[in-house]
């Protein structure tokens, strides 16, 4: 039986995690969950929102399913999500964004994969107050990390029959940092003559995404633009409730939804668990449980086809009601 780390998170985390675990169990996948708590709730007892045991667990098991974890603001702790990605060198943030059958949106032709660099840029956390009225935040871009993520994007495109990689930057303003990112992307692109390579500025990219998302295929972005643009692409396919994600490194992978802990709807049984379910489907593919992964995805899509939706998608179903409907479809 495969052991997988389960980080339940906070806010809507426990509700959506419970949904995903129940569905995986109902599909007959035997997983020994190594449950790890993190976030604000463990600070008092363990002195950190991300105790070492969590990192060690993921390192040991190689795979994790993670819910959103809130890092308390103003208490001097670095973001749990950023630290986990850095510590485990989960350098690639993969966020596929594809229309979901029966989920009505403004667009019908969205099939985009966002590949976001996950370890540097403004997320390096190098900030200082120059004086009481001036703050500096350092944007770090290295050739090595940029080439590594570009290679990931092109390899992904190759393996998944995708034909276009677009590098998204603001290189007209951040000439050195984003310029270096592009230089790295161009070098890697030259090794993949069968995959088309384009460059686009992030502001224009946002407008083009809203006007005609069908023109994009794989998007390759530094960390911050990747964060913002992947929320935008989530909006194209029905919002954060359906947007899946994965953080991938050489030795381990953490699968997690794009969304945060949604404190505004926490504890109300309103959350849409689709994003974590789709993340879990990718996790099952990652551990070669492809048949079960497909079963779960089909049951989820059938649930939408049956007209069962949570409130974020205009429906009336609760998180648990939606989960039960998926389980029923699994069993049919
Ligand atoms: P973070 O910065 O941690 O990513 P955020 O500020 O982007 O978080 P979220 O917690 O992702 O914010 O929530 C943004 C909005 O989307 C909120 O109104 C929230 O209720 C909604 N939302 C997020 N996830 C879901 C979900 N799974 N189901 C329904 N609504 C959701």
């Amino acid at each position: 039986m495969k052991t997988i780390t389960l980080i339940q998170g906070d806010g809507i985390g426990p509700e959506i995690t419970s949904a995903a675990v129940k569905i995986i169990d109902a599909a007959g996948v035997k997983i020994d969950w190594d449950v790890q708590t993190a976030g604000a709730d463990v600070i008092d007892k363990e002195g950190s929102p991300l105790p070492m045991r969590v990192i060690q667990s993921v390192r040991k098991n190689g795979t994790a399913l993670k819910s959103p974890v809130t890092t308390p603001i103003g208490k001097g702790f670095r973001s749990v999500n950023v630290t986990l990605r850095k510590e485990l060198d989960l350098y690639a943030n993969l966020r596929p964004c594809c229309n979901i059958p029966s989920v009505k949106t403004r667009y019908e032709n969205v099939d985009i994969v966002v590949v976001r660099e996950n370890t540097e840029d403004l997320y390096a956390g190098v900030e200082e107050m120059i004086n009481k009225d001036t703050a500096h935040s350092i944007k770090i871009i290295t050739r090595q990390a940029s080439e590594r993520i570009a290679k990931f994007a092109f390899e992904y495109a190759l393996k998944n029959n995708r034909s276009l990689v677009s590098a998204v930057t603001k290189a007209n303003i951040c000439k050195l940092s984003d310029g270096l990112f592009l230089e790295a992307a161009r070098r890697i692109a030259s090794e993949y003559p069968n995959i088309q390579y384009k460059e686009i500025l992030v502001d224009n990219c946002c407008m083009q995404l809203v006007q005609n998302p069908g023109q994009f295929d794989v998007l390759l972005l530094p960390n911050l633009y990747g964060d913002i643009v992947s929320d935008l692409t989530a909006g194209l396919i029905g919002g954060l409730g359906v947007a899946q994600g994965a953080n991938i490194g050489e030795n381990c992978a953490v699968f997690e939804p794009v969304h945060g802990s949604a404190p505004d709807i926490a504890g109300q049984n309103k959350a849409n668990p689709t994003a974590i379910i789709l993340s879990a489907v990718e996790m099952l593919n990652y551990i070669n449980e492809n048949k079960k992964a497909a079963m779960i995805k089909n049951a989820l899509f059938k649930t939408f086809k049956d007209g069962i939706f949570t409130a974020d998608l205009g429906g009336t179903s609760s998180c648990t009601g939606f989960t039960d409907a998926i389980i029923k479809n699994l069993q049919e």
Side-chain angles (χ1 to χ4, degrees), residues 190-216:
S190 70
E191 294 173 4
Y192 296 82
N194 295 329
I195 296 169
Q196 204 190 349
Y197 170 70
K198 284 187 182 172
E199 294 172 357
I200 184 165
L201 295 175
V202 65
D203 39 358
N204 182 24
C205 180
C206 289
M207 186 204 58
Q208 301 274 347
L209 276 166
V210 172
Q211 284 201 318
N212 176 19
Q215 68 184 293
F216 293 105

Side-chain angles (χ1 to χ4, degrees), residues 65-108:
L65 182 62
K66 177 182 167 295
S67 254
V69 176
T70 317
T71 310
I73 297 170
K75 290 203 173 167
F77 294 110
R78 207 171 162 207
S79 156
V80 168
N81 302 320
V82 173
T83 313
L84 194 66
R85 292 167 190 169
K86 262 228 60 110
E87 285 291 321
L88 296 164
D89 201 21
L90 302 166
Y91 67 92
N93 193 330
L94 186 65
R95 296 179 160 182
C97 232
C98 182
N99 281 120
I100 296 174
S102 315
V103 174
K104 278 210 188 75
T105 62
R106 291 185 181 86
Y107 307 91
E108 278 168 5

Side-chain angles (χ1 to χ4, degrees), residues 77-317:
F77 294 110
R78 207 171 162 207
S79 156
V80 168
N81 302 320
V82 173
T83 313
L84 194 66
R85 292 167 190 169
K86 262 228 60 110
E87 285 291 321
L88 296 164
D89 201 21
L90 302 166
Y91 67 92
N93 193 330
L94 186 65
R95 296 179 160 182
C97 232
C98 182
N99 281 120
I100 296 174
S102 315
V103 174
K104 278 210 188 75
T105 62
R106 291 185 181 86
Y107 307 91
E108 278 168 5
N109 54 349
V110 184
D111 185 6
I112 297 168
V113 177
V114 174
V115 175
R116 165 188 173 193
E117 203 289 324
N118 228 1
T119 64
E120 50 184 34
D121 195 352
L122 282 162
Y123 289 70
V126 187
E127 286 195 308
E128 60 177 336
M129 293 304 294
I130 298 303
N131 59 47
K132 77 174 182 22
D133 297 319
T134 312
H136 278 189
S137 188
I138 315 265
K139 171 169 164 131
I140 295 173
I141 301 282
T142 66
R143 187 182 308 279
Q144 190 222 11
S146 304
E147 287 194 350
R148 185 164 69 156
I149 195 67
K151 182 114 197 139
F152 182 96
F154 278 93
E155 278 298 309
Y156 182 92
L158 195 67
K159 285 186 194 130
N160 294 278
N161 293 320
R162 291 188 171 261
S163 54
L164 167 68
V165 173
S166 307
V168 185
T169 65
K170 191 72 184 166
N172 56 336
I173 300 297
C174 300
K175 292 189 195 324
L176 296 182
S177 52
D178 285 359
L180 179 58
F181 188 86
L182 283 186
E183 209 181 295
R186 277 175 209 154
R187 197 190 77 67
I188 299 298
S190 70
E191 294 173 4
Y192 296 82
N194 295 329
I195 296 169
Q196 204 190 349
Y197 170 70
K198 284 187 182 172
E199 294 172 357
I200 184 165
L201 295 175
V202 65
D203 39 358
N204 182 24
C205 180
C206 289
M207 186 204 58
Q208 301 274 347
L209 276 166
V210 172
Q211 284 201 318
N212 176 19
Q215 68 184 293
F216 293 105
D217 189 348
V218 176
L219 298 180
L220 165 65
L221 311 95
N223 208 341
L224 181 64
Y225 310 139
D227 187 12
I228 297 165
V229 169
S230 59
D231 265 32
L232 192 160
T233 54
L236 302 176
I237 59 158
L240 286 170
V242 299
Q244 69 184 87
N247 301 288
I248 299 171
E250 296 298 342
N251 303 312
C252 44
V254 175
F255 295 83
E256 65 174 340
V258 169
H259 63 74
S261 55
D264 52 332
I265 54 164
Q268 299 171 36
N269 200 12
K270 274 188 188 164
N272 184 351
T274 301
I276 196 167
I277 294 167
L278 287 173
S279 306
V281 163
E282 280 319 309
M283 182 195 79
L284 293 178
N285 282 325
Y286 182 78
I287 61 166
N288 299 319
E289 288 278 4
N290 309 72
K291 249 172 113 176
K292 301 288 185 183
M295 252 175 77
I296 294 175
K297 202 168 175 177
N298 289 338
L300 170 71
F301 288 1
K302 166 111 189 356
T303 308
F304 286 134
K305 201 168 163 233
D306 294 342
I308 301 171
F309 298 100
T310 45
D312 57 311
L313 296 178
T316 54
S317 186

Side-chain angles (χ1 to χ4, degrees), residues 24-53:
I24 290 171
D25 191 46
V29 190
K30 297 272 170 274
I31 290 176
D32 174 21
W33 295 106
D34 178 1
V35 180
Q36 296 288 332
T37 47
D41 293 350
V42 305
I43 295 176
D44 282 349
K45 229 167 105 196
E46 303 186 61
S48 158
L50 184 65
M52 210 44 207
R53 62 173 164 75

